[in-house]
Amino acid sequence: MEIIRIPKVMQDTVGGLLIRGRTIGFVPTMGALHEGHLSLVRRSREENEKTVVSIFVNPLQFGPSEDFARYPRDIEGDVEKLEAERVDILFMPEASLMYPVGFSTRVEVGTISETMCGACRPGHFAGVATVVAKLFHIVKPTRAYFGQKDFQQAVVIRRMVKDLNMDVEIVVCPTVREKDGLAMSSRNMYLSGEQRPAAAVLFRSLKGTAESLASGIIQIGEVRHVLRQKILSEPAVSSVDYAGAYDPETLEELAEPKGEILLACAVWIGSTRLIDNILINIKKER
Ligand code: PAF
């Protein structure tokens, strides 16, 4: 696996691959890699001739009181995992090369960035869209891979790609879960021994609410309350940022049922913020 740290070198390297007609799959990450990331890498390897992974803990997407400084970092472990998956190129730039002195551009993606996580983390999605736009210009991928766990992020990126005519296919892959249903996330590492089993409450509550909705026990207007109550029944939960039923395209909270429904939540367990979601068809969940 080739490790590249300089954006211009990365651009020249992919430029050479593209001239030779190679397809490039790209998995952008912030490192501390787990099976969720590796599932994206495997999908990229299946669908493309070359796979590029980036590791960059993007300061722009963290608020001033958020966990940028303590975000888990494990470069040695990550390199080992990516070598084992036979990734072609790891792009690992320094922040000073991504955001040199004077950097002042932001990519803002409108109202879909302002609901759900965007309402609780102002500026977060502008930070994500800006770095992903930069990474797309540097890596020039044919396809880019994101996890459904970060559903809103995927919607924001799809919108940006469409609005800015970026020539890249966005592929969203299923959430990878632990045995008890907890969605894999680098932030799960923050959970203490007692908090870890409690964190399964997110998925359990989403599933339970979906079942009540599908069987007609509750109506769409009751989802917010029911889901929140289910989550708060776990004593380790300190607070719920949001919980509800949303339109998977506009991300507006739903007052009336429609074909596909996104059930989503963001929950604090101690000082750890976790998110999860499921897409349901009332009859068919996934
Ligand atoms: O999902 C993530 O890990 C990050 O938000 C991303 C897409 C790599 C941008 O920093």
Side-chain angles (χ1 to χ4, degrees):
M1 181 174 70
E2 189 177 353
I3 300 184
I4 298 180
R5 295 172 189 275
I6 299 172
K8 180 73 176 87
V9 174
M10 184 73 232
Q11 274 172 322
D12 292 347
T13 305
V14 287
L17 292 172
L18 291 170
I19 285 169
R20 279 176 272 141
R22 302 285 189 270
T23 52
I24 298 173
F26 177 43
V27 182
T29 82
M30 298 205 297
L33 302 178
H34 50 67
E35 274 301 311
H37 297 113
L38 301 183
S39 73
L40 306 181
V41 168
R42 287 172 200 140
R43 177 87 178 262
S44 169
R45 284 201 14 95
E46 271 165 37
E47 296 180 350
N48 302 280
E49 286 154 308
K50 297 284 173 189
T51 288
V52 178
V53 173
S54 65
I55 296 180
F56 179 62
V57 185
N58 172 34
L60 224 58
Q61 69 189 73
F62 291 80
S65 59
E66 293 186 353
D67 57 342
F68 174 69
R70 71 173 184 130
Y71 194 83
R73 289 159 171 91
D74 175 21
I75 291 305
E76 266 179 40
D78 289 348
V79 168
E80 223 169 85
K81 286 174 191 155
L82 296 176
E83 296 265 17
E85 295 296 334
R86 300 202 283 146
V87 163
D88 299 286
I89 302 175
L90 168 58
F91 177 52
M92 221 166 39
E94 289 293 327
S96 60
L97 294 181
M98 289 295 275
Y99 302 122
V101 175
F103 182 88
S104 53
T105 300
R106 288 288 181 284
V107 180
E108 300 267 0
V109 190
T111 52
I112 51 168
S113 298
E114 288 158 17
T115 62
M116 298 169 63
C117 285
C120 314
R121 304 183 67 189
H124 169 67
F125 287 114
V128 170
T130 304
V131 80
V132 172
K134 282 178 67 78
L135 289 167
F136 283 177
H137 285 303
I138 295 167
V139 176
K140 305 179 179 62
T142 318
R143 300 182 186 86
Y145 296 81
F146 296 88
Q148 187 191 310
K149 195 208 71 165
D150 296 296
F151 192 94
Q152 187 172 14
Q153 169 169 282
V155 173
V156 167
I157 288 164
R158 268 196 212 284
R159 184 79 254 166
M160 171 185 80
V161 163
K162 195 165 183 206
D163 289 354
L164 300 182
N165 304 82
M166 292 177 168
D167 195 10
V168 50
E169 182 188 333
I170 302 301
V171 183
V172 180
C173 303
T175 302
V176 179
R177 299 183 180 280
E178 303 284 358
K179 280 202 180 73
D180 63 359
L182 175 65
M184 289 202 185
S185 161
S186 307
R187 289 192 167 97
N188 293 351
M189 284 183 201
Y190 297 151
L191 298 169
S192 70
E194 280 155 32
Q195 290 171 335
R196 167 60 194 84
V201 71
L202 278 79
F203 185 58
R204 200 166 56 240
S205 304
L206 289 165
K207 290 286 280 182
T209 307
E211 279 157 20
S212 300
L213 196 56
S215 58
I217 296 172
I218 62 165
Q219 301 304 309
I220 195 92
E222 295 167 282
V223 166
R224 178 203 276 239
H225 176 71
V226 169
L227 181 53
R228 183 176 286 264
Q229 287 315 113
K230 282 184 194 294
I231 295 166
L232 286 170
S233 69
E234 167 52 62
V237 170
S238 4
S239 64
V240 177
D241 271 355
Y242 64 83
Y246 303 88
D247 182 318
E249 279 158 30
T250 64
L251 303 183
E252 279 163 15
E253 196 163 0
L254 286 172
E256 298 293 331
K258 61 166 279 184
E260 251 194 339
I261 298 173
L262 175 70
L263 295 187
C265 59
V267 173
W268 287 90
I269 298 190
S271 56
T272 304
R273 185 177 185 274
L274 299 176
I275 57 172
D276 201 356
N277 68 78
I278 55 175
L279 267 180
I280 59 170
N281 246 328
I282 301 289
K283 284 198 188 98
K284 206 172 119 238
E285 289 162 39
R286 60 170 207 258

